[in-house]
Amino acid sequence: MSVATYTVKGMTCGHCVSSVREEVGEVAGVTSVEVDLASGLLTVNSDEPIDAARIAAAVEEAGYELAGRS
């Protein structure tokens, strides 16, 4: 099992959180997604490490920006 934490910029409400969670959750290999609105933290659990570019693409698809990896 692999856990990666990222920071997402631009989220302002619960709908933002839901959008990010849904898009990242559709990335192949992701087993669970946690998003914290207050801190902007995105925690991705997966069976194996996932390329950060795939996570960034999913976050951008939801309409937000991946600010970095923690």
Side-chain angles (χ1 to χ4, degrees):
M1 178 147 199
S2 178
V3 178
T5 306
Y6 305 89
T7 303
V8 178
K9 288 179 20 180
M11 296 187 300
T12 58
C13 64
H15 176 70
C16 301
V17 168
S18 295
S19 295
V20 170
R21 185 180 297 126
E22 181 178 333
E23 289 295 336
V24 174
E26 291 178 3
V27 173
V30 170
T31 55
S32 69
V33 179
E34 295 175 33
V35 182
D36 182 69
L37 178 60
S39 65
L41 287 180
L42 164 65
T43 304
V44 180
N45 295 290
S46 55
D47 294 326
E48 298 177 357
I50 295 177
D51 184 6
R54 292 174 58 206
I55 301 300
V59 169
E60 288 171 13
E61 182 69 26
Y64 306 96
E65 180 184 350
L66 198 64
R69 188 169 180 169
S70 302

